[in-house]
Amino acid sequence: MVQLAGAQRWVRLARRNLPLLAVTVVIAAAVILVVADRWRRGAFVFGSAILLAGLLRLWVPEDLVGVLAVRSRTFDVSALLVVGGLIIALAVSIDPLGTG
């Protein structure tokens, strides 16, 4: 019975932090790309993670967004979308110089 209560607690915790978990998984993919010497693709995926965080902050209700809510919704969404867009624009604009 104690084990079942502990499992339910983990499920509730995961559900409550699902937006943060999704963004963290995308950031982990970006880190893997950078470590694999695919830094342009990693930067693109990282920018995508920031855009995802902005969209989740926009769409997910306040009580479920978790720590993605830092300031007002308007500020968080606009800052995340601008920064994510700039990172993606920078990653796309850099000349590959023969690299992938």
Side-chain angles (χ1 to χ4, degrees), residues 32-50:
I32 290 170
L33 285 169
V34 170
V35 169
D37 204 25
R38 301 288 186 202
W39 60 271
R40 287 181 65 230
R41 291 179 188 159
F44 185 86
V45 172
F46 183 75
S48 300
I50 303 302

Side-chain angles (χ1 to χ4, degrees), residues 1-64:
M1 194 65 152
V2 173
Q3 210 172 24
L4 184 60
Q8 289 174 345
R9 189 172 358 137
W10 280 105
V11 168
R12 280 194 314 263
L13 182 66
R15 258 192 216 148
R16 191 171 55 231
N17 292 311
L18 196 57
L20 179 64
L21 184 63
V23 172
T24 303
V25 167
V26 178
I27 289 174
V31 169
I32 290 170
L33 285 169
V34 170
V35 169
D37 204 25
R38 301 288 186 202
W39 60 271
R40 287 181 65 230
R41 291 179 188 159
F44 185 86
V45 172
F46 183 75
S48 300
I50 303 302
L51 287 179
L52 175 64
L55 293 175
L56 287 171
R57 179 67 174 105
L58 178 64
W59 290 332
V60 176
E62 291 284 330
D63 57 335
L64 298 176

Side-chain angles (χ1 to χ4, degrees), residues 59-80:
W59 290 332
V60 176
E62 291 284 330
D63 57 335
L64 298 176
V65 77
V67 296
L68 289 179
V70 177
R71 300 203 185 271
S72 70
R73 177 176 281 185
T74 304
F75 179 82
D76 288 344
V77 170
S78 60
L80 288 167

